[in-house]
Amino acid sequence: MKSLASEKALVILSGGQDSTTCLYWALEQFHEVETLTYDYGQRHRREIAAAALVAERAGVPNTVLHLSAFTELGGSSLTESLPIQEHGTKDGLPNTFVPGRNLIFLTYAAAYAYQRSIQHLVLGVCETDYSGYPDCRAETLKSTLAGINLGMEANFLLHTPLMLLSKKETVLLAKELGALSALAATHTCYNGTSHPCGTCPACLLRAKGFAEADIPDPLVDSE
Amino acid sequence: MKSLASEKALVILSGGQDSTTCLYWALEQFHEVETLTYDYGQRHRREIAAAALVAERAGVPNTVLHLSAFTELGGSSLTESLPIQEHGTKDGLPNTFVPGRNLIFLTYAAAYAYQRSIQHLVLGVCETDYSGYPDCRAETLKSTLAGINLGMEANFLLHTPLMLLSKKETVLLAKELGALSALAATHTCYNGTSHPCGTCPACLLRAKGFAEADIPDPLVDSE
């Protein structure tokens, strides 16, 4: 059995609102925190720069892993120049769905954590998210983690602090954690603009969360 | 739920003896067969060329996906210039173990099969293999597949026809399938020589299997 350090955590940091909030959650829970960012050929390169900036401001290391295979596989509006759809593919999933993305993210995070003997993995996924990606669900991640722990002879623990929160509750959690100002450095918009476009599903969801929490979005204010 | 074609199979083809035998097994079982090969920065590039040659001779398509992250993660003698060890790391696993490799291979295979609506995934792993990689075990793969099917809303079926076979039985299966001559195109040696070095764990295991089956290895004969 792999020996892992229980005081260390690895946060998968996309550069968005949710994973940034998770980073601040982890900073409260664990003695040592690192962040891991995936360059999977996402159309909006500023996500990766946002992750680096968020990590720098939080004073934690940020490592980028390159996953070119998603671009080679193709088929998602997040990695190709397809129009963003919220709903409506033939299989009932939005075309922002990248098959296997979170499964791959979690498995590589475990492989990285294995090398560094980090026991805790933190992922900013959310079941209540509008898109209903099936790889964000607790049941999916539980099975994947079971495979990882068996396959690496390890006992990683997975934390998904936002899993059952609404976007409003996530904003309130960020406030409680003192993470609001860090959210000014995050990137959310599916259309890739720094200032929220205000019309894509991701911007609408973010705006709704801040509005319901009755807190101004520091990203909007910063522009 | 994703609609998948039950007559189609995808074989993960490394270019070695086991996956080549699996390819011929799949050709007997399924109407349409494709192969997928991973370039994960393995030290011995001839594995990838061997896979292409095996697929060409079998008359099936071969696609290569590039997984650079394993090289970025490092730490295995299969991706770095470390001496090959069969046993003896501090965690009880040989230093040829690449954490998460088969989990990642299976998940990307499913993502590829998802795009092409292929239901069957075929993987040449073997529990009885000498190395005891924990990500080759049936229990590990079952959990990982459960995560994949939940995460992609699909019903992929995984076939591991060699799981419980000894290397001798695998050689006999290859003979039964008419795959022996194809094994001349495969690559096995951990030290990267085309002709078996005869001393690395992989060559020794292969030689033992052919000797016990009392069949000459076409790879040795072809040189």
Side-chain angles (χ1 to χ4, degrees), chain A residues 66 68 72 74 115 134 137 153, chain B residues 66 68 72 74 115 137 153:
Chain A
H66 298 87
S68 58
E72 296 173 29
Q115 309 281 16
R137 294 180 195 140
E153 291 190 335
Chain B
H66 298 86
S68 59
E72 296 173 30
Q115 309 281 15
R137 294 181 194 140
E153 290 188 338

Side-chain angles (χ1 to χ4, degrees), chain A residues 2 64-66 68-69 72-74 91 97 99-100 108 111-112 114-115 134-135 137 140 143-144 147 150-153, chain B residues 2 64-66 68-69 72-74 91 93 97 99-100 108 111-112 114-115 134-135 137 140 143-144 147 150-153:
Chain A
K2 176 72 175 176
V64 177
L65 277 186
H66 298 87
S68 58
E72 296 173 29
L73 287 168
D91 297 306
F97 178 61
Y108 273 125
Y112 179 91
Y114 184 99
Q115 309 281 16
D135 61 344
R137 294 180 195 140
T140 303
S143 290
T144 303
L150 288 166
M152 300 191 196
E153 291 190 335
Chain B
K2 176 73 177 175
V64 178
L65 278 186
H66 298 86
S68 59
E72 296 173 30
L73 287 169
D91 298 305
L93 291 168
F97 178 61
Y108 273 124
Y112 179 90
Y114 184 99
Q115 309 281 15
D135 61 344
R137 294 181 194 140
T140 302
S143 290
T144 303
L150 288 166
M152 300 190 197
E153 290 188 338

Side-chain angles (χ1 to χ4, degrees), chain A:
Chain A
M1 181 66 78
K2 176 72 175 176
S3 172
L4 300 170
S6 64
E7 76 280 10
K8 292 185 185 178
L10 179 66
V11 178
I12 300 175
L13 187 66
S14 72
Q17 173 188 3
D18 288 351
S19 61
T20 298
T21 303
C22 283
L23 168 58
Y24 281 80
W25 177 88
L27 287 167
E28 285 221 335
Q29 305 283 325
F30 303 104
H31 188 66
E32 277 186 57
V33 176
E34 286 192 42
T35 62
L36 186 64
T37 298
Y38 295 112
D39 178 352
Y40 63 99
Q42 50 270 68
R43 281 161 72 181
H44 308 310
R45 314 300 296 166
R46 66 172 70 230
E47 282 182 34
I48 297 162
L53 185 57
V54 164
E56 190 190 337
R57 288 193 185 179
V60 296
N62 179 241
T63 300
V64 177
L65 277 186
H66 298 87
L67 312 183
S68 58
F70 284 116
T71 315
E72 296 173 29
L73 287 168
S76 159
S77 64
L78 292 191
T79 54
E80 296 192 355
S81 295
L82 304 172
I84 300 284
Q85 297 172 341
E86 191 173 354
H87 306 288
T89 71
K90 64 184 186 305
D91 297 306
L93 291 169
N95 76 349
T96 51
F97 178 61
V98 181
R101 185 172 56 163
N102 278 321
L103 313 180
I104 295 286
F105 284 3
L106 183 56
T107 308
Y108 273 125
Y112 179 91
Y114 184 99
Q115 309 281 16
R116 285 174 168 64
S117 302
I118 297 169
Q119 181 170 31
H120 300 275
L121 308 174
V122 184
L123 188 60
V125 293
C126 178
E127 276 194 351
T128 53
D129 220 340
Y130 66 105
S131 286
Y133 295 150
D135 61 344
C136 291
R137 294 180 195 140
E139 195 190 357
T140 303
L141 296 172
K142 190 179 163 188
S143 290
T144 303
L145 186 72
I148 288 168
N149 277 329
L150 288 166
M152 300 191 196
E153 291 190 335
N155 63 332
F156 293 109
L157 296 173
L158 174 65
H159 304 269
T160 54
L162 311 186
M163 182 59 86
L164 301 176
L165 303 189
S166 67
K167 269 287 181 283
K168 171 190 172 184
E169 291 168 320
T170 296
V171 171
L172 293 173
L173 175 63
K175 185 182 179 189
E176 190 185 315
L177 292 165
L180 277 181
S181 65
L183 296 182
T186 61
H187 177 76
T188 293
C189 179
Y190 273 170
N191 288 317
T193 60
S194 169
H195 192 273
C197 76
T199 56
C200 80
C203 282
L204 289 174
L205 185 71
R206 177 168 177 148
K208 185 166 172 283
F210 277 96
E212 289 178 4
D214 200 19
I215 292 176
D217 184 344
L219 176 58
V220 177
D221 279 4
S222 72
E223 300 293 317

